[in-house]
Amino acid sequence: MEGGSGPGEGAPRGAAAEVLLSGVFSLAPSLKVDYTLSLNSDAELLMRRRDSAPSSPATRLMLSDCIGCYASQSQVAAYFTLFCYPLKKGWWDSAESRRRVARTFRVLVSPEAEENRAVAETWAGKIRELSAPRIPRLEGAIYGHLPQPCQVLVLLNPQSGSGQALHLFRTQVQPMLTEANIAFSMCITEKHNHAWELVREENLSRWDALVTMSGDGLLYEVINGLMERPDWETAIQKPLCILPAGSGNAIAASLNYYATKVCLLKEELLMSCTYFLCKGLHAPLDLVSLRTASGKRLFSFLSFSWGFVSDVDITSERYRKLGSARFTLGTLQHLTTLQVYKGHLSYLPVEAPNSISSQGEQSSLSAQRANPVSFCNGQSVSARPQQGSVLEDSLLVPFEQSVPKDWIAVPEEEFVSIVCIYQSHLGTDLILAPPAKLYDDAIHVFYLTAGVSRMAMIKFLMALEKGTHLTLNCPYLHYVPVKAFRIEPSMLKGHMTVDGEVLPCEPVQGQIHRRRCRIISGS
């Protein structure tokens, strides 16, 4: 006969935490070994074989890693099953990643099925209670978590990355959602901007979160669709989640990096982000409002770039089936003919008007241009929002005007690449902005000026894997955190990209909007 549950029984020797529940249960499915279980106020489940020596250490399951626990019945006996995803090192890699651990215990404390069920329900309920994420309050940011149970809308692009998104969802994501008691409805996108159009008209009250399974481009569509709604101020607060199934997966890599300081790839990164969704913690996310000289208004959550980085991103699309390897191939091709792009870069610095080169020098860039370049088929376009538009860009002025006097104009006019990024990662294994956070109210501008050698470029790109590129002593590499920026090409050359999506080459300016939306995160 197996023991019942009750506070104080079987408490581990020397434990400081209060024991909430304890009992003796058989481990399923074999039922050949009995375990003494102890659930304490530190959200730990301690497991010790009943036939082991009293001094033997207990196995610990940290309930902070638990995504679900359920009770069930089979004739007289009842059961409770918990699903945990602790960080563990693989035998092939020193980095930690999530590994599934499931345990089922049989409850047989009474000949009455109802009593056994009640005990199983008590344990399952307490484990779920202790598994709820602790909501941090950092720097005044307000975190929240999804209700349990919850209902989410999954938008999936079956063509993203190597074309395995639907298969990965069915085999890896869906089982975890079931374990976490998350119900979902799925919409498979059928064309470019399908998600943009869908969320613009969708009844969002049906969903607790919007989930994208693709690369970064699908989340870009969702955010811009939400910002075009009449109720955009409410709609953009709907928690968003990204499950990586694309080639770049930069925002997913950033979210994982913030939570673990570890870079994961492929299925391990997908499991980590699915785990974040199952835990349900959501945090603020900065957005950047972008305006083009042709009159477009876009919202970006990741990056804007012009030059080498954008050209690699766009021209490597032909190798999409190779997954992330497409970027390596594209990089090698563009290094053979390193291009220079002429134009002007201006910005409003976060603090002092100084740029930091990779040599650690402070380079004053205070020279202001009297007449910045601006064109759009001979017509000027105002950067101020028109009546009825959303979210005023208070730091920007119309393109026909010079940038404000407190802005800095970069004296160089020839660039190899300019990247304005607001998260840590440019790709799954490319840490371009290690200091970046979800809501640090800064655009991290990196620019490479003409004259940089191919060898220096290779060293720079290799250093991105560790985020050590600013220690390379390269005088052509510059970094500055800014509130707003303006890029004005002198000639329409090269690609421009926003969150990995291509834009026509033209003058662009943007500013940060702090904590404008919310995203499922690990911290």
Side-chain angles (χ1 to χ4, degrees):
M1 179 68 68
E2 298 169 77
S5 62
E9 296 180 20
R13 188 175 299 176
E18 177 188 0
V19 175
L20 304 176
L21 294 173
S22 66
V24 178
F25 308 105
S26 297
L27 182 64
S30 69
L31 305 176
K32 294 180 180 180
V33 180
D34 289 344
Y35 279 82
T36 298
L37 303 188
S38 180
L39 190 62
N40 66 35
S41 57
D42 284 344
E44 297 174 323
L45 178 64
L46 305 182
M47 304 167 46
R48 182 182 287 108
R49 287 178 61 120
R50 197 176 187 186
D51 57 2
S52 63
S55 59
S56 61
T59 299
R60 294 174 183 265
L61 284 180
M62 305 302 298
L63 297 186
S64 57
D65 298 323
C66 180
I67 66 170
C69 186
Y70 304 101
S72 58
Q73 189 88 42
S74 177
Q75 297 180 343
V76 175
Y79 298 83
F80 62 94
T81 304
L82 66 158
F83 306 95
C84 297
Y85 288 80
L87 288 168
K88 294 185 177 181
K89 290 183 179 180
W91 60 269
W92 62 91
D93 191 0
S94 60
E96 290 185 330
S97 60
R98 299 277 170 192
R99 301 284 187 269
R100 182 178 184 269
V101 175
R103 296 288 183 268
T104 299
F105 297 95
R106 185 180 69 173
V107 179
L108 193 59
V109 300
S110 168
E112 299 296 330
E114 293 79 4
E115 293 184 21
N116 294 323
R117 178 75 183 202
V119 171
E121 291 282 8
T122 298
W123 276 80
K126 182 57 70 172
I127 288 172
R128 288 195 298 270
E129 177 187 328
L130 295 174
S131 301
R134 297 179 180 178
I135 300 178
R137 292 187 180 275
L138 303 174
E139 303 173 11
I142 299 176
Y143 285 69
H145 63 83
L146 300 180
Q148 288 293 333
C150 69
Q151 181 89 21
V152 302
L153 174 63
V154 177
L155 301 162
L156 185 145
N157 178 4
Q159 305 302 321
S160 62
S162 58
Q164 297 297 307
L166 186 57
H167 170 73
L168 288 171
F169 183 87
R170 296 299 187 195
T171 59
Q172 185 166 326
V173 176
Q174 187 172 347
M176 291 181 67
L177 298 186
T178 300
E179 293 170 355
N181 198 22
I182 296 177
F184 70 90
S185 293
M186 180 182 290
C187 175
I188 296 178
T189 59
E190 300 174 352
K191 59 181 180 178
H192 184 59
N193 288 339
H194 186 183
W196 191 321
E197 298 168 0
L198 188 149
V199 301
R200 190 169 54 202
E201 307 296 334
E202 178 67 20
N203 176 10
L204 298 181
S205 64
R206 300 166 57 195
W207 316 110
D208 297 302
L210 301 178
V211 179
T212 64
M213 185 152 182
S214 180
D216 299 311
L218 200 60
L219 184 59
Y220 167 77
E221 289 187 27
V222 168
I223 287 174
N224 280 276
L226 293 174
M227 291 300 290
E228 287 186 354
R229 294 171 60 103
D231 62 343
W232 67 270
E233 288 185 278
T234 302
I236 200 61
Q237 291 300 305
K238 182 69 65 176
L240 307 174
C241 175
I242 187 162
L243 302 179
S247 301
N249 301 320
I251 185 63
S254 298
L255 291 166
N256 180 75
Y257 183 74
Y258 300 148
T260 66
K261 296 302 178 185
V262 172
C263 292
L264 299 179
L265 305 174
K266 299 180 179 178
E267 281 82 0
E268 290 182 343
L269 179 60
L270 176 58
M271 178 174 285
S272 181
C273 291
T274 308
Y275 169 82
F276 294 158
L277 174 57
C278 292
K279 297 298 287 186
L281 188 70
H282 51 87
L285 174 67
D286 291 342
L287 291 183
V288 167
S289 169
L290 295 172
R291 292 182 178 272
T292 71
S294 60
K296 291 181 180 178
R297 176 84 182 285
L298 302 168
F299 294 93
S300 168
F301 64 90
L302 179 63
S303 66
F304 172 86
S305 60
W306 176 46
F308 181 88
V309 170
S310 296
D311 287 351
V312 168
D313 190 7
I314 299 305
T315 59
S316 66
E317 279 283 336
R318 71 190 75 170
Y319 311 121
R320 175 173 288 276
K321 293 297 182 181
L322 297 177
S324 60
R326 71 179 245 215
F327 300 115
T328 302
L329 184 57
T331 297
L332 293 174
Q333 289 180 334
H334 282 276
L335 281 174
T336 60
T337 57
L338 201 57
Q339 299 291 314
V340 173
Y341 307 84
K342 295 183 179 180
H344 302 283
L345 169 64
S346 307
Y347 59 81
L348 175 64
V350 168
E351 295 178 351
N354 293 320
S355 170
I356 305 172
S357 75
S358 63
Q359 294 175 306
E361 299 171 344
Q362 299 292 320
S363 306
S364 177
L365 301 173
S366 58
Q368 297 288 335
R369 298 193 312 280
N371 298 299
V373 178
S374 178
F375 54 87
C376 175
N377 298 325
Q379 299 179 0
S380 62
V381 179
S382 174
R384 296 290 185 182
Q386 304 301 313
Q387 186 175 5
S389 64
V390 302
L391 204 58
E392 180 180 359
D393 293 326
S394 60
L395 301 178
L396 305 180
V397 298
F399 280 102
E400 68 268 19
Q401 296 182 17
S402 300
V403 294
K405 292 183 178 180
D406 54 348
W407 285 45
I408 305 299
V410 174
E412 292 89 351
E413 297 183 0
E414 293 186 335
F415 303 91
V416 171
S417 192
I418 301 174
V419 181
C420 306
I421 190 168
Y422 351 118
Q423 303 303 327
S424 61
H425 281 57
L426 187 62
T428 307
D429 53 355
L430 300 176
I431 313 174
L432 181 57
K437 301 296 180 186
L438 282 172
Y439 50 88
D440 59 1
D441 199 22
I443 301 169
H444 303 269
V445 176
F446 292 83
Y447 60 96
L448 281 160
T449 52
V452 64
S453 67
R454 291 181 179 85
M455 182 55 66
M457 283 290 293
I458 292 173
K459 290 180 178 178
F460 164 69
L461 294 169
M462 292 178 64
L464 287 181
E465 292 187 12
K466 301 290 185 181
T468 58
H469 44 287
L470 288 175
T471 66
L472 293 177
N473 297 320
C474 176
Y476 303 98
L477 174 61
H478 301 267
Y479 160 65
V480 59
V482 309
K483 292 282 191 179
F485 69 90
R486 179 187 284 186
I487 297 173
E488 299 164 293
S490 298
M491 57 180 65
L492 303 183
K493 176 185 177 182
H495 295 95
M496 288 183 166
T497 56
V498 51
D499 298 349
E501 300 297 302
V502 66
L503 289 178
C505 184
E506 61 177 324
V508 175
Q509 59 183 356
Q511 77 163 72
I512 195 81
H513 289 278
R514 193 180 192 195
R515 303 174 184 175
R516 179 46 58 181
C517 67
R518 305 195 67 79
I519 194 161
I520 303 293
S521 68
S523 63

